[in-house]
Amino acid sequence: MASSKGTSAEAPLLEVRGVTLQYTTREQRVTATWRVDFDAWAGERLVLLGPSGCGKSTLLKAVGGYLKPVEGEVQFRGKQVHGPGPDRGMVFQEFDQLLPWKTVKQNVAFALQEGRGVPRREAEEQALHFIAKVKLSRFADAYPHTLSGGMKQRVAIARCLATRPELILMDEPFAALDALTRQQMQDELLELWQESPFAMLFVTHSIDEAVRLGHRVILLSPHPGRVKEVLALDGKGELGPVQSGAELQERIHRSLFETACDYSI
Ligand SMILES: Nc1ncnc2c1ncn2[C@@H]1O[C@H](COP(=O)(O)OP(=O)(O)OP(=O)(O)O)[C@@H](O)[C@H]1O
C-alpha cells in the first residue's frame, strides 16, 4: 500500500479530536456527532461508514471547514481548521454541482482560476489534462445537461483533482448512480489513486463500497454518530489486522448486528 501511515515519525494529515457537531434550529438542537476521534494520513483512502443520519456528511462539512465543532477540534497539517481552503477539495453526491452555463473544460478551468489563481489559458490546458484522466476528452466542450450522471461525477472528480488538494472529501459521490456505473466509477477512482496517490475521506453507507475503496474503515454508530470501530485491511485498525476484504465485510456485519442497525448495501 502506498499510504504513508505507520511511519511513526510522521504526523497525520488530518486529526479529528473529540469532535461534537450540532445544528441549532429555531425549534431544537440536533447533536449530529458525539466526541468523534480519528486521523487520516497522506496517501490514505479512509472511509466513513455508518447508517443514515449518523453524521457522516456533517463530519465531512467540519473537515471541509464549513461547520465549527461545539466541542473538540479538527486539525489539518497540525493547524486548527477555521474555514474552507484549497488544501481540502470536495466532491458531492448531487449531479448538479457543476456550473450549467459552462462547458466541461470551463468548469474545471474555473476551479483552477478561482481556487488557485491560475491564468485562464493555462487553466484550460491543465483542465484538459485532468479531463483526459477521467476519460472525457471527447466531451470537453459539452455542457453539463448533455452528460449522464456518471459523466458529471467524472467532471466533478477531474475538477477536484485539478486543484491538487491535499485531501479529497467525497460525500457519497456514486450513491445516485446505477450499480454497474457505480462499480465502474469505483474502479476508475482506484486507477486515479494508483496513478498518483492522494488522501481521501470517503463517506458511504454501502459496506461493499467501503470494502472496495478503503484502506481503513471508520464505522460510526447510529445517531448521534460516534466511532464504533476502526477496521483496516493493512492491519493498522484499532482492532488488529483484517486479512481480506471478505473478513473486513464480515467484521462490519458482526458489528452491525451488535448495534442492530440497518446499513444498505
Ligand atoms: N442543516 C441541518 N439542520 C438541522 N439538522 C441537520 C441538518 N443537517 C443534518 N441534520 C441532522 O444531523 C444528523 C446527521 O445528519 P447527516 O446528514 O450528517 O447524516 P449522514 O450520516 O450523512 O446521513 P445520510 O447517510 O442519510 O446522508 C441527522 O439527524 C440530521 O437530521
Side-chain angles (χ1 to χ4, degrees), residues 23 25 30 32 50-59 61 172 205 223:
Y23 293 101
T25 64
V30 180
S52 189
C54 75
K56 304 180 294 296
S57 300
T58 306
L59 267 171
K61 279 187 217 161
E172 305 206 50
H205 55 258
H223 175 83

Side-chain angles (χ1 to χ4, degrees), residues 178-195:
D178 63 87
L180 215 63
T181 312
R182 185 172 187 166
Q183 254 188 34
Q184 198 182 339
M185 297 290 294
Q186 291 164 355
D187 290 342
E188 286 179 19
L189 184 64
L190 289 174
E191 274 170 36
L192 287 168
W193 185 91
Q194 298 286 359
E195 247 175 64

Side-chain angles (χ1 to χ4, degrees), residues 13-26:
L13 191 61
L14 174 74
E15 293 167 82
V16 173
R17 296 279 171 261
V19 164
T20 299
L21 297 163
Q22 286 180 340
Y23 293 101
T24 307
T25 64
R26 256 193 294 171

Side-chain angles (χ1 to χ4, degrees), residues 37 39 42 107 138 184 198:
D37 285 291
D39 296 328
N107 261 287
R138 280 198 309 127
Q184 198 182 339
F198 44 84

Side-chain angles (χ1 to χ4, degrees), residues 14 40 74 81 95 102 105-106 108 121 123-124 127 130 140 158 218:
L14 174 74
V74 178
V81 164
F95 295 157
K102 289 191 184 286
K105 181 174 75 182
Q106 289 165 348
V108 179
R121 192 65 64 82
E124 291 193 349
F130 282 92
I218 295 175

Side-chain angles (χ1 to χ4, degrees), residues 31-42:
T31 301
T33 69
W34 176 252
R35 296 186 179 167
V36 169
D37 285 291
F38 66 87
D39 296 328
W41 300 75

Side-chain angles (χ1 to χ4, degrees), residues 207-261:
I207 297 172
D208 272 355
E209 190 161 69
V211 171
R212 268 173 88 92
L213 294 181
H215 290 129
R216 283 193 302 148
V217 177
I218 295 175
L219 203 56
L220 295 169
S221 67
H223 175 83
R226 285 147 293 145
V227 175
K228 182 157 195 317
E229 284 186 21
V230 182
L231 296 163
L233 271 174
D234 63 0
K236 293 180 184 110
E238 283 166 10
L239 290 179
V242 177
Q243 298 307 329
S244 65
E247 193 188 334
L248 179 58
Q249 194 131 4
E250 196 183 309
R251 290 274 286 271
I252 293 171
H253 279 282
R254 208 181 303 148
S255 185
L256 299 181
F257 280 126
E258 281 166 27
T259 42
C261 60

